[in-house]
Amino acid sequence: MKGRSGELGSLPEATAILDALGRVRDPELDEPITDLGFVTDVQVGEGEVRVRLRLPTYFCAPNFAYLMVADARAAVESVPGAGRAEILLEDHHDAEQINAGVAEGVGFAGIYGGEAAGGLDELRLVFRRKAYLARQERLARSLLDAGRTVEQLADMRIGELPDTDEARVYLQRREELGLDVGPEAFLLVDPAGVRVPADRVVATLRFAQTVRISIEGNASFCRGMLATRYGLPTPAPK
C-alpha cells in the first residue's frame, strides 16, 4: 500500500490511520480488517483520506460489508487532522450502493429500505456476544492449562488475571458488552453479566468452545477465499 507522498510507512498521518483501521473488525470473524487483508490502499491528502477495501467474495453479506465500510469511515475520521474519509468498497455486488450510502450518511435502512431486515445494532450485539464467549473460552482454557481448577476459575476475579495479550483482549470484548471490568468482578460471567457457578463452568466452556471453533473456521475459510480470489499466497493456519 502506498500513500500519496510515498511509502505508506513513511507518513506519520497514514500510520495513525492504519492504526485506526486496525481497530475495525470484521463483525463475524472478530479480527481486524487490516490483519485479514481487506485494506488494499490508503491515500492521504490535504484534509481527506481515501481507503480501498476488498472482501473474500463478490457476494459477502451486505450488512457485514456495510458495517465494515461505515466503521472504517468513523475510525479514519477519528484521527486528528485526517479530515474527510472516503471508503471505497471494491469488487462487491452492492459496492456502489454501500459506498454511496455511507458517504451520504443515510444508514443501512436508508440504502436498502424494506429489504433491511432487523437493525444493525442487534446484529452487532449478536456477534459481540459470540466474540466475548470465544475470547472467554480461550482465556479460561489457558488458565486451566496453567494449573487452575474449575472451582478456582468460578471464584476468580478480574484483578487476579495475568497481564497478557489474551487477558487484555478478553477485557476489551467484555467492556464492549457493558460488563463490569473492575478488579473485584467475577471472571466467568455470561454475556448478560450473570456469574457462572462452579457446577456450570465445564458446560459453559464447552458451549463457548463450539462458538470459538466456528469463528476460527469462518476466518480460515475467508482467508483462503481472499487468497484464491486475488492470487495471494495461501495464508498459514492461525
Side-chain angles (χ1 to χ4, degrees):
M1 291 182 289
K2 292 181 180 292
R4 183 165 296 174
S5 302
E7 288 297 327
L8 183 59
S10 68
L11 298 170
E13 302 92 339
T15 300
I17 288 163
L18 270 185
D19 288 343
L21 289 170
R23 295 190 290 274
V24 177
R25 306 196 305 272
D26 180 303
E28 183 182 24
L29 307 182
D30 191 36
E31 292 191 34
I33 59 174
T34 47
D35 289 356
L36 289 164
F38 294 173
V39 179
T40 63
D41 189 59
V42 177
Q43 295 286 330
V44 180
E46 189 67 33
E48 64 177 8
V49 175
R50 175 176 290 183
V51 177
R52 296 184 182 275
L53 301 181
R54 65 185 176 192
L55 298 177
T57 74
Y58 186 69
F59 292 103
C60 284
N63 47 4
F64 294 171
Y66 173 87
L67 281 173
M68 286 183 273
V69 173
D71 287 354
R73 182 185 183 190
V76 170
E77 292 186 346
S78 74
V79 176
R84 176 180 175 276
E86 182 181 17
I87 312 298
L88 298 175
L89 177 64
E90 300 179 323
D91 299 339
H92 186 274
H93 73 284
D94 272 356
E96 186 174 347
Q97 288 175 271
I98 291 171
N99 292 339
V102 171
E104 295 166 10
V106 300
F108 187 70
I111 299 172
Y112 292 98
E115 297 176 33
L120 288 186
D121 288 342
E122 294 176 8
L123 178 69
R124 194 189 295 275
L125 180 59
V126 167
F127 284 111
R128 281 182 174 174
R129 287 171 173 165
K130 289 183 177 182
Y132 167 75
L133 288 173
R135 296 290 178 173
Q136 184 181 73
E137 192 270 344
R138 288 182 191 174
L139 178 59
R141 291 297 175 189
S142 71
L143 293 170
L144 289 170
D145 289 344
R148 301 267 185 170
T149 66
V150 167
E151 290 73 18
Q152 287 173 331
L153 280 190
D155 290 334
M156 193 171 177
R157 312 284 180 137
I158 294 293
E160 300 174 64
L161 279 176
D163 185 18
T164 63
D165 288 342
E166 199 165 58
R168 285 190 289 272
V169 173
Y170 166 69
L171 292 177
Q172 289 170 4
R173 301 297 182 270
R174 184 174 173 130
E175 194 168 19
E176 286 174 354
L177 287 177
L179 302 179
D180 189 355
V181 293
E184 294 303 313
F186 284 104
L187 172 66
L188 295 186
V189 298
D190 69 16
V194 178
R195 182 187 177 190
V196 178
D199 63 353
R200 292 296 302 162
V201 169
V202 172
T204 296
L205 293 182
R206 187 177 294 123
F207 172 74
Q209 184 182 44
T210 67
V211 175
R212 173 181 60 79
I213 291 172
S214 175
I215 291 174
E216 291 175 351
N218 286 338
S220 178
F221 175 78
C222 286
R223 282 192 168 87
M225 290 295 292
L226 190 75
T228 300
R229 186 179 189 191
Y230 292 103
L232 305 174
T234 302
K238 295 196 71 175

